[in-house]
């Protein structure tokens, strides 16, 4: 089962979130954060795949304050998508993320633990979620940021990363050079529950809808690692 639901923002506005439910009807929750292309076929597909693994997946429309339900299929309109990111208010986004976390936790289908996963822009939003979103004093239980280039600008929040986290990066990513990955590694030093996984790939290697980015081998390598990590921290 998949549909869109309404989430109420901290300022009273409402935005859409794509929801995918497992066949069992219930399970651990997963916030799924979009790339710069919005909630498109790729992100909906990720949610559907996660629902197939037993999770209640919820992907909030993070561009709703700029253009509700903004959606582009792939990298063919990069200029427009990058402009949307440039206009994104990360402070307001943090509030919307917390509201989505509260919404997911309150869903009767969500059985308890909640994690987050995101790609590209969504990788940074996943890190933002893990370090700032708290509902009744409780944050998420696991995070999986894929190649979030904006994470480096948020490393001042590293001490607030208290949940197990699996970072995925491509070692040939033109947007996240080796020096940037090394900064993340240094900021995460000493955190036993943080793993930084490097793949022989470029940027957005998991996006099967973006031909110039997609790397089938790297995507097939990272996905089982992600599922095993999520199962360990959300299903136990």
């Amino acid at each position: 089962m998949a549909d869109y639901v309404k989430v109420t923002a901290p300022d009273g506005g409402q935005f859409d979130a794509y929801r995918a439910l497992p066949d069992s009807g219930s399970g651990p929750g997963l916030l799924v954060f979009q790339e710069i292309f919005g909630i498109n076929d790729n992100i909906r597909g990720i949610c559907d795949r996660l629902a197939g693994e037993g999770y209640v997946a919820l992907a909030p429309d993070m561009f709703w304050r700029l253009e509700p339900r903004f959606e582009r299929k792939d990298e063919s309109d990069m200029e427009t998508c990058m402009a949307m990111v440039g206009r994104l208010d990360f402070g307001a986004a943090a509030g919307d993320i917390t509201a989505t976390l509260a919404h997911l936790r309150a869903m009767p289908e969500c059985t308890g633990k909640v994690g987050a996963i995101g790609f590209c822009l969504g990788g940074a939003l996943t890190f933002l979620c893990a370090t700032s979103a708290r509902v009744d004093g409780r944050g998420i239980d696991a995070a999986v940021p894929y190649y979030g280039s904006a994470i480096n600008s948020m490393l001042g929040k590293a001490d607030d990363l208290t949940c197990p986290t699996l970072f995925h990066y491509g070692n040939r990513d033109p947007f996240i050079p080796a020096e940037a990955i090394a900064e993340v590694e240094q900021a995460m030093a000493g955190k036993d529950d943080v793993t930084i996984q490097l793949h022989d790939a470029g940027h957005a290697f998991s996006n099967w809808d973006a031909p110039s980015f997609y790397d089938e081998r790297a995507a097939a390598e990272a996905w089982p690692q992600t599922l095993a990590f999520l199962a360990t921290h959300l299903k136990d």
Side-chain angles (χ1 to χ4, degrees):
M1 174 183 172
D3 57 6
Y4 281 88
V5 296
K6 293 289 186 182
V7 178
T8 301
D11 59 7
Q14 287 194 321
F15 57 94
D16 290 329
Y18 181 79
R19 177 182 64 174
L21 299 177
D23 289 341
S24 65
S26 64
L30 267 177
L31 297 171
V32 181
F33 292 109
Q34 69 189 58
E35 294 186 320
I36 63 175
F37 311 116
I39 306 300
N40 62 0
D41 287 344
N42 180 258
I43 295 300
R44 286 187 291 265
I46 291 288
C47 290
D48 295 344
R49 289 174 70 183
L50 290 168
E53 297 291 337
Y55 297 98
V56 176
L58 191 64
D61 176 9
M62 297 305 299
F63 286 159
W64 74 279
R65 296 174 184 274
L66 305 173
E67 182 181 325
R69 300 282 283 269
F70 172 89
E71 179 179 335
R72 296 294 186 271
K73 179 175 174 58
D74 53 30
E75 70 276 36
S76 60
D77 199 4
M78 287 286 289
E79 185 174 348
T80 299
C81 296
M82 292 298 291
M84 292 292 283
V85 177
R87 295 167 55 205
L88 183 64
D89 182 336
F90 278 85
D96 294 339
I97 288 170
T98 301
T100 309
L101 173 60
H103 183 99
L104 179 54
R105 281 224 174 99
M107 287 171 54
E109 298 87 353
C110 182
T111 57
K113 291 184 177 181
V114 172
I117 182 173
F119 305 82
C120 184
L121 167 65
L125 295 175
T126 298
F127 187 81
L128 182 61
C129 176
T131 55
S132 67
R134 303 290 185 267
V135 177
D136 296 329
R138 181 183 170 196
I140 60 173
D141 299 289
V144 185
Y146 274 70
Y147 35 76
S149 57
I151 288 174
N152 289 74
S153 65
M154 303 177 182
L155 290 179
K157 292 179 169 287
D159 288 345
D160 297 321
L161 185 68
T162 56
C163 68
T165 301
L166 170 62
F167 293 88
H168 287 292
Y169 288 105
N171 63 9
R172 294 183 282 105
D173 191 328
F175 302 101
I176 310 176
E179 294 81 5
I181 298 173
E183 287 180 0
V184 176
E185 291 174 331
Q186 183 175 2
M188 298 300 127
K191 292 181 179 290
D192 294 335
D193 55 359
V194 171
T195 300
I196 298 176
Q197 189 69 54
L198 292 178
H199 304 274
D200 184 18
H203 192 68
F205 61 78
S206 182
N207 188 340
W208 61 77
D209 252 359
S212 69
F213 292 133
Y214 182 52
D215 187 314
E216 183 176 6
R217 184 203 54 75
E221 177 182 76
W223 188 246
Q225 295 169 350
T226 293
L227 293 180
F229 176 85
L230 292 173
T232 296
H233 297 291
L234 299 182
K235 291 185 174 182
D236 289 349

